[in-house]
Amino acid sequence: MSVSNLTSATGTSLTDAPAGTNPNGILGKDDFLKLLLVELQYQDPTEPMDSEKILSQTSQLATLESSENTNKALSNLAASLSSNMQFSTIAAIGKIADLGNDAIALDEGQQSSFELYFPTDVSSGNITITDNNGNVVKTIGLGENSKGVYQFGWDGTTDDGTIAEAGFYHVNATYTDPNSVTQHTRVGTYPIQSVRFDGGETLVSLGSSYVSFEAIKEIYEG
Protein backbone atom coordinates (compact mmCIF):
# COMPACT_ATOMS: atom_id res chain seq x y z
CA MET A 1 0.00 0.00 0.00
CA SER A 2 1.38 3.39 -0.93
CA VAL A 3 1.67 6.31 1.48
CA SER A 4 -1.09 8.17 -0.40
CA ASN A 5 -3.43 5.18 -0.10
CA LEU A 6 -2.50 4.75 3.52
CA THR A 7 -3.29 8.34 4.42
CA SER A 8 -6.52 8.16 2.44
CA ALA A 9 -7.55 5.04 4.34
CA THR A 10 -6.87 6.64 7.70
CA GLY A 11 -8.44 9.92 6.60
CA THR A 12 -5.41 11.81 7.84
CA SER A 13 -2.22 13.02 6.23
CA LEU A 14 1.03 13.90 7.95
CA THR A 15 0.54 17.53 7.02
CA ASP A 16 -2.97 17.48 8.58
CA ALA A 17 -1.57 16.65 12.02
CA PRO A 18 -2.40 19.23 14.68
CA ALA A 19 0.21 21.93 15.10
CA GLY A 20 2.68 21.23 17.88
CA THR A 21 2.16 17.44 18.01
CA ASN A 22 5.42 16.79 16.16
CA PRO A 23 7.30 20.09 15.86
CA ASN A 24 10.50 18.48 14.60
CA GLY A 25 8.77 16.49 11.86
CA ILE A 26 10.45 13.28 13.07
CA LEU A 27 8.62 9.95 13.30
CA GLY A 28 9.19 8.04 16.49
CA LYS A 29 8.88 4.31 17.13
CA ASP A 30 5.22 4.69 18.15
CA ASP A 31 4.47 6.43 14.85
CA PHE A 32 6.10 3.62 12.87
CA LEU A 33 4.13 1.02 14.83
CA LYS A 34 0.85 2.82 14.14
CA LEU A 35 1.65 3.05 10.43
CA LEU A 36 2.49 -0.66 10.31
CA LEU A 37 -0.77 -1.62 12.04
CA VAL A 38 -2.84 0.61 9.75
CA GLU A 39 -1.03 -0.81 6.73
CA LEU A 40 -1.88 -4.33 7.87
CA GLN A 41 -5.49 -3.35 8.56
CA TYR A 42 -6.06 -1.88 5.12
CA GLN A 43 -4.02 -4.31 3.05
CA ASP A 44 -5.56 -5.93 0.03
CA PRO A 45 -6.83 -9.39 1.14
CA THR A 46 -6.15 -10.76 -2.32
CA GLU A 47 -2.56 -9.55 -2.16
CA PRO A 48 -1.51 -9.66 1.51
CA MET A 49 1.76 -8.13 2.59
CA ASP A 50 4.85 -10.21 2.10
CA SER A 51 5.97 -11.76 5.42
CA GLU A 52 9.53 -10.78 4.58
CA LYS A 53 8.42 -7.16 4.28
CA ILE A 54 6.66 -7.35 7.66
CA LEU A 55 9.77 -8.82 9.27
CA SER A 56 11.87 -6.10 7.70
CA GLN A 57 9.62 -3.34 9.05
CA THR A 58 9.41 -4.85 12.54
CA SER A 59 13.20 -5.21 12.52
CA GLN A 60 13.54 -1.53 11.67
CA LEU A 61 11.11 -0.74 14.47
CA ALA A 62 13.19 -2.76 16.95
CA THR A 63 16.36 -1.02 15.77
CA LEU A 64 14.75 2.40 16.25
CA GLU A 65 13.57 1.51 19.74
CA SER A 66 17.02 0.18 20.65
CA SER A 67 18.60 3.40 19.41
CA GLU A 68 16.23 5.52 21.49
CA ASN A 69 16.92 3.41 24.58
CA THR A 70 20.67 3.75 24.01
CA ASN A 71 20.40 7.54 23.69
CA LYS A 72 18.36 7.69 26.89
CA ALA A 73 20.89 5.52 28.73
CA LEU A 74 23.77 7.71 27.53
CA SER A 75 21.91 10.84 28.64
CA ASN A 76 21.37 9.36 32.11
CA LEU A 77 25.03 8.32 32.26
CA ALA A 78 26.18 11.85 31.36
CA ALA A 79 23.96 13.32 34.11
CA SER A 80 25.33 10.80 36.61
CA LEU A 81 28.95 11.56 35.67
CA SER A 82 28.29 15.29 36.01
CA SER A 83 26.84 14.74 39.49
CA ASN A 84 29.81 12.57 40.50
CA MET A 85 32.17 15.26 39.19
CA GLN A 86 30.54 17.82 41.47
CA PHE A 87 30.87 15.55 44.50
CA SER A 88 34.54 14.88 43.71
CA THR A 89 35.11 18.64 43.51
CA ILE A 90 33.61 19.10 46.97
CA ALA A 91 36.02 16.45 48.26
CA ALA A 92 38.90 18.68 47.10
CA ILE A 93 38.10 21.36 49.73
CA GLY A 94 41.11 21.76 52.01
CA LYS A 95 43.59 20.44 49.46
CA ILE A 96 46.14 22.54 47.57
CA ALA A 97 45.38 23.64 44.00
CA ASP A 98 48.18 24.43 41.59
CA LEU A 99 47.27 26.69 38.67
CA GLY A 100 50.54 25.83 36.93
CA ASN A 101 51.59 29.46 36.53
CA ASP A 102 53.59 31.75 38.84
CA ALA A 103 53.29 34.87 36.66
CA ILE A 104 51.80 38.27 37.42
CA ALA A 105 51.17 41.15 35.01
CA LEU A 106 52.67 44.60 35.43
CA ASP A 107 51.31 47.63 33.60
CA GLU A 108 53.71 50.51 33.17
CA GLY A 109 53.26 53.07 35.92
CA GLN A 110 50.81 50.87 37.80
CA GLN A 111 51.08 48.79 40.96
CA SER A 112 50.70 45.05 40.64
CA SER A 113 49.12 43.07 43.49
CA PHE A 114 49.45 39.34 44.08
CA GLU A 115 48.74 36.73 46.72
CA LEU A 116 51.02 34.09 48.25
CA TYR A 117 50.07 31.10 50.34
CA PHE A 118 52.40 30.14 53.19
CA PRO A 119 51.70 26.57 54.34
CA THR A 120 53.63 27.11 57.59
CA ASP A 121 54.35 30.03 59.90
CA VAL A 122 57.03 32.42 58.63
CA SER A 123 60.03 33.51 60.67
CA SER A 124 61.89 35.37 57.92
CA GLY A 125 62.52 35.21 54.21
CA ASN A 126 62.25 36.95 50.86
CA ILE A 127 59.88 37.24 47.93
CA THR A 128 61.75 37.23 44.64
CA ILE A 129 60.31 38.75 41.47
CA THR A 130 62.09 37.72 38.28
CA ASP A 131 61.68 38.53 34.58
CA ASN A 132 61.13 35.96 31.83
CA ASN A 133 64.89 35.38 31.59
CA GLY A 134 65.20 34.50 35.27
CA ASN A 135 66.87 37.78 36.25
CA VAL A 136 65.98 39.08 39.72
CA VAL A 137 64.09 42.36 39.36
CA LYS A 138 62.77 42.95 42.87
CA THR A 139 63.30 41.44 46.31
CA ILE A 140 60.73 41.96 49.06
CA GLY A 141 61.62 41.03 52.63
CA LEU A 142 59.33 38.93 54.81
CA GLY A 143 58.82 39.29 58.53
CA GLU A 144 57.13 37.00 61.02
CA ASN A 145 53.66 35.87 59.91
CA SER A 146 51.26 33.06 60.63
CA LYS A 147 50.58 30.53 57.90
CA GLY A 148 47.88 31.47 55.40
CA VAL A 149 47.24 33.54 52.27
CA TYR A 150 48.61 37.09 52.21
CA GLN A 151 48.31 39.88 49.64
CA PHE A 152 51.30 41.90 48.53
CA GLY A 153 51.79 44.92 46.30
CA TRP A 154 54.61 45.77 43.92
CA ASP A 155 54.92 49.37 42.76
CA GLY A 156 56.91 48.37 39.68
CA THR A 157 60.28 49.63 40.91
CA THR A 158 63.35 47.40 40.69
CA ASP A 159 66.03 46.81 43.30
CA ASP A 160 68.23 49.46 41.63
CA GLY A 161 65.45 52.06 41.76
CA THR A 162 64.44 52.05 38.08
CA ILE A 163 60.97 51.40 36.73
CA ALA A 164 60.39 47.88 35.42
CA GLU A 165 59.02 47.50 31.93
CA ALA A 166 55.41 46.44 31.49
CA GLY A 167 55.01 42.71 31.03
CA PHE A 168 54.83 39.44 32.91
CA TYR A 169 56.98 38.59 35.90
CA HIS A 170 57.36 35.53 38.11
CA VAL A 171 56.91 35.52 41.87
CA ASN A 172 58.48 32.99 44.25
CA ALA A 173 59.26 33.06 47.95
CA THR A 174 61.87 31.32 50.09
CA TYR A 175 61.53 31.51 53.87
CA THR A 176 62.30 29.73 57.11
CA ASP A 177 59.64 28.42 59.47
CA PRO A 178 59.85 28.58 63.30
CA ASN A 179 61.80 25.28 63.24
CA SER A 180 64.46 26.89 61.00
CA VAL A 181 63.39 24.68 58.08
CA THR A 182 63.61 26.29 54.64
CA GLN A 183 60.27 26.45 52.83
CA HIS A 184 59.27 27.51 49.33
CA THR A 185 56.05 28.85 47.86
CA ARG A 186 54.97 30.78 44.78
CA VAL A 187 52.11 32.54 43.10
CA GLY A 188 49.56 30.07 41.74
CA THR A 189 49.35 27.58 44.62
CA TYR A 190 46.51 28.06 47.11
CA PRO A 191 44.28 25.97 49.36
CA ILE A 192 40.78 25.26 48.05
CA GLN A 193 38.50 26.98 50.55
CA SER A 194 35.09 26.38 49.01
CA VAL A 195 33.29 25.25 45.84
CA ARG A 196 30.50 27.06 44.00
CA PHE A 197 28.31 25.84 41.12
CA ASP A 198 27.19 28.68 38.87
CA GLY A 199 25.32 28.19 35.58
CA GLY A 200 26.74 24.73 35.02
CA GLU A 201 30.31 25.88 35.76
CA THR A 202 32.28 24.69 38.79
CA LEU A 203 34.19 27.45 40.58
CA VAL A 204 36.62 27.09 43.47
CA SER A 205 37.74 29.70 45.98
CA LEU A 206 41.52 30.22 45.84
CA GLY A 207 42.78 33.06 47.98
CA SER A 208 40.41 36.00 47.55
CA SER A 209 39.12 34.93 44.13
CA TYR A 210 36.96 32.27 42.51
CA VAL A 211 38.48 30.53 39.50
CA SER A 212 37.16 27.86 37.15
CA PHE A 213 37.89 24.32 38.30
CA GLU A 214 39.14 23.61 34.76
CA ALA A 215 41.98 26.13 35.28
CA ILE A 216 43.56 23.91 37.97
CA LYS A 217 46.50 21.84 36.76
CA GLU A 218 47.09 19.74 39.89
CA ILE A 219 45.50 19.07 43.28
CA TYR A 220 47.46 17.60 46.16
CA GLU A 221 47.44 17.28 49.93
CA GLY A 222 48.61 20.34 51.84
Side-chain angles (χ1 to χ4, degrees):
M1 175 178 282
S2 66
V3 173
S4 60
N5 292 335
L6 178 58
T7 55
S8 298
T10 59
T12 307
S13 68
L14 295 179
T15 56
D16 293 333
T21 57
N22 193 8
N24 295 324
I26 300 175
L27 295 177
K29 60 184 178 63
D30 292 336
D31 300 308
F32 277 109
L33 180 59
K34 290 178 182 178
L35 288 173
L36 178 59
L37 292 176
V38 172
E39 189 173 4
L40 289 172
Q41 180 182 356
Y42 290 95
Q43 67 179 329
D44 186 350
T46 62
E47 295 182 6
M49 288 181 61
D50 186 359
S51 58
E52 184 177 344
K53 181 179 180 181
I54 297 176
L55 290 175
S56 175
Q57 292 185 358
T58 53
S59 175
Q60 292 175 3
L61 179 62
T63 301
L64 176 62
E65 183 172 13
S66 176
S67 176
E68 289 185 356
N69 291 338
T70 299
N71 290 338
K72 183 177 180 180
L74 289 175
S75 178
N76 292 337
L77 177 60
S80 177
L81 290 176
S82 177
S83 177
N84 290 337
M85 178 64 176
Q86 291 183 346
F87 281 116
S88 64
T89 305
I90 293 174
I93 294 176
K95 293 182 172 59
I96 305 300
D98 189 342
L99 298 176
N101 191 345
D102 63 357
I104 62 172
L106 177 69
D107 293 328
E108 190 171 353
Q110 301 293 321
Q111 177 171 298
S112 179
S113 60
F114 56 88
E115 291 180 327
L116 283 171
Y117 168 62
F118 298 93
T120 63
D121 294 344
V122 179
S123 292
S124 63
N126 291 301
I127 299 173
T128 304
I129 301 176
T130 58
D131 59 21
N132 289 327
N133 295 320
N135 301 312
V136 177
V137 175
K138 183 73 173 181
T139 302
I140 301 174
L142 291 171
E144 291 187 3
N145 277 312
S146 300
K147 66 179 182 179
V149 178
Y150 291 88
Q151 188 171 69
F152 298 88
W154 177 35
D155 60 6
T157 60
T158 65
D159 285 337
D160 59 12
T162 60
I163 302 298
E165 296 181 355
F168 290 98
Y169 294 85
H170 306 273
V171 181
N172 292 263
T174 301
Y175 66 97
T176 56
D177 63 20
N179 297 320
S180 298
V181 176
T182 301
Q183 305 284 351
H184 302 276
T185 188
R186 61 177 175 80
V187 162
T189 58
Y190 309 98
I192 299 175
Q193 301 171 349
S194 63
V195 177
R196 186 175 74 191
F197 305 105
D198 187 5
E201 183 178 12
T202 302
L203 305 172
V204 293
S205 175
L206 303 180
S208 61
S209 304
Y210 275 94
V211 302
S212 172
F213 186 76
E214 295 181 354
I216 297 176
K217 302 301 181 182
E218 183 181 3
I219 295 176
Y220 54 88
E221 295 287 347

